[in-house]
Amino acid sequence: MLNKNALQVTENAYFYKKIRKFTKAKIKEVFDEISKYKVGYYKLNIVKDKITVNGTEVVFSGCVFKYNRSPDFLKAEQSLSNVETKYAYFLLVEYDGYVAFSKLNVSGIDKLFEDYIEKVGYETMSRMFLSENTRFKKFSVNNMDISDKAIRKKMYEAANLKESLSTLSANKYFVRDMRIVQDNSDVSLALNTSRVGFFSKRKDIDEFSEWVVSIINKIKHYRPSITYLDSFASPINTEIKKLNPRNILFMINDLFEEESQFYLKLDNGRTRNINVNLMEKIERSFELTKINTSAVKVNTNIDNSLKLIKNKKSFSIRSNKLRKIHFKLNDGVEHNLLNYLNENQNFLVLFDDINIVYWANTLFKDNALLSNIENFLDVFLEFPELKDITSEKGPTDNTTLKAFERNSLFNFIELKLANNSNFIFCDDLGDEWADYISLDDNKICFYHAKYHEPSLSASAFHEVVSQAQKNLGNIYVTEDSLNRKRDSWGNPYGKTEIKRLIKGTNIEEGIEAYKSTLKAPNSFKEIVLVINFISKKQLQEELVKLKDGQSTKYQVVQIFWLISSLVSLCKEAGLNVYITCLP
């Protein structure tokens, strides 16, 4: 039997505020649950031991045990006779109304203590170590935009991001985790799990407890101040019950990066492998429908029982199917997908109020979003003649056709939008970068067209925005990729006789013009969404309602998010963006 002085652990722990007293019976119950598959007796089993470190009394509990597991690389028929022995531990340090957990090879602790603890707030966790001298070494940020084509997560790393990272569009992202240097300490913070880690040598239990006390004192004495993180989306205090959820995005991509094994646990105890395609279908955005004041239905055919539940300070997921999905990470520990989502809060929720998004027990607000309505409307270019447009390109099944239909968007691009360009290429169909590409002496422009009957159609707008976002990188194309366009641009459009070089001397000179314009230091790169169905006046009226807190069509909310996402991506890529519209 070991004693606590035999242990040495890293300065790495999960911190919580206690909302109920930790009794000996509760701690023993948790120990029994996490060690139910242990081999032999506990190697260490201490419950509610009072210890004093530097004159401060803390309460220490901990257990260490062995268990067997089959190597993941062996087939099932070999696993029973070939096992490896692993060690696991779970340590608790209680101090002044808070508790810190340190663990190895155990899972589900949050669930076992769910009525006893609450995570330390995002604002406190993210800012309690910061000062004017803090060096920000690493950020992982999440996008507040949950559309399918949006970049959902970014990671930045530098000697000091405060000096290297532009905060342009930072208000559309919230920090997920970070690594900083403060007072010569290298600190990592996982903000969704309240985990604090110091990069240091291993400590004995007295030293570890002393470190825990220092972190809890920082938590208790935190006072808000202005920091570099204020450039990002800000945590806010708003009652969840007052908000109306509209969309949800489940974020499980980290599990694929861990090469997790997914399987379904059936009611009879047997297991069945799960197709990876099912897991990929889960990680997408779903619309929500209100059931009652405390629950909303997730609109998906994956599981009819899938619901989002409003709690007092957080959201949680309920699902019969996700409860049966299990997986193992590289450490061999089994996890339940539903518990994983709820414990780690790995989902984003959007609301009627488009400024706000929920993640990890926290509501974030993009304070700049609605204040930028006028700037967003500047990207819309009014063309009264769009009212006469009747199709995107017209019929193209005529083998003798030499031009697109007169009242089509394609014809509108050729004769109105790109008419003054030196070169115009029709790049629609096949390996297309855009429907049209035009070149001037100092400008490259991609045109993406979408026809729809006049309306505030978010679905039609989403389609053309997605097309544009997918091809943003192609505007900065490599020479090899550009050279491969010779053949496609040299052939007629589909089965027609329409030439793809609409304007310009020849394809060879057009390709050379693209290359030289791309290299020119002062050249412009533009994206133009060519649509006929949105009225700028109508959109402006609805957006003003939104800004004033009045109710508006949810289609308007979606369109605004799509515009915001596209403008943000184009700014980051150094591109101008414009959208044609009705007056």
Side-chain angles (χ1 to χ4, degrees), residues 23-163:
T23 63
K24 286 186 176 181
K26 180 60 183 178
I27 293 174
K28 288 178 180 178
E29 175 191 316
V30 171
F31 284 3
D32 288 344
E33 177 62 26
I34 63 175
S35 66
K36 59 186 177 185
Y37 299 116
K38 70 179 183 294
V39 175
Y41 298 103
Y42 286 111
K43 294 298 181 181
L44 174 79
N45 186 6
I46 298 174
V47 178
K48 303 286 280 188
D49 182 27
K50 294 182 179 180
I51 58 177
T52 301
V53 289
N54 285 345
T56 301
E57 185 177 89
V58 302
V59 179
F60 172 80
S61 303
C63 67
V64 178
F65 56 91
K66 293 193 300 182
Y67 67 98
N68 291 334
R69 57 164 285 195
S70 301
D72 296 330
F73 55 82
L74 294 181
K75 292 183 177 180
E77 58 267 24
Q78 301 293 328
S79 61
L80 293 178
S81 57
N82 295 279
V83 297
E84 56 184 351
T85 300
K86 307 280 286 186
Y87 276 82
Y89 71 76
F90 176 48
L91 312 177
L92 304 82
V93 177
E94 301 173 63
Y95 169 69
D96 202 11
Y98 288 79
V99 62
F101 295 161
S102 176
K103 58 184 177 138
L104 175 69
N105 293 336
V106 296
S107 64
I109 297 298
D110 279 25
K111 182 69 175 176
L112 296 172
F113 279 111
E114 66 179 341
D115 296 326
Y116 289 75
I117 58 174
E118 64 180 24
K119 292 175 182 175
V120 177
Y122 176 94
E123 181 178 349
T124 302
M125 281 292 298
S126 62
R127 289 158 169 80
M128 64 183 178
F129 290 101
L130 305 187
S131 72
E132 292 181 356
N133 301 318
T134 302
R135 284 197 292 123
F136 296 86
K137 296 184 68 175
K138 190 174 182 179
F139 276 158
S140 175
V141 298
N142 271 99
N143 198 343
M144 291 179 68
D145 179 5
I146 66 171
S147 61
D148 292 339
K149 301 299 181 182
I151 297 174
R152 292 174 180 169
K153 187 167 69 172
K154 295 182 180 182
M155 193 275 286
Y156 302 100
E157 190 168 4
N160 188 0
L161 288 165
K162 189 175 180 179
E163 298 174 351

